[in-house]
Amino acid sequence: MHPTDLARDPQPAITTHSSVAISNAIVEVETYEQPATLTEPARPAVHGVAVECREVLDLEQARAMRDALICAVRELERLHGN
């Protein structure tokens, strides 16, 4: 991509606050920020939890995923000021 195109259409910024891997699964707490463009103002930051799992988890892995999700929700609440 040409630098001039980036100035017109800057890429969003994704900040990962925490990441927990369980086998081939992952739980991340992220902040997504869309910068201003020449035609659009910047959008407010969005805090969220990203979860990716492409396999069947056994009981131990499922419990670890549950615990990781609980921790991710607590961190997300902290980011929101709750």
Side-chain angles (χ1 to χ4, degrees), residues 8-54:
R8 275 188 251 127
D9 189 22
Q11 297 300 307
I14 298 174
T15 303
T16 301
H17 301 281
S18 66
S19 181
V20 176
I22 300 138
S23 188
N24 286 333
I26 192 161
V27 176
E28 295 179 325
V29 177
E30 299 177 336
T31 299
Y32 177 89
E33 297 178 86
Q34 180 66 48
T37 66
L38 294 175
T39 58
E40 297 286 328
R43 295 185 192 139
V46 176
H47 306 293
V49 175
V51 178
E52 184 177 326
C53 182
R54 297 183 183 250

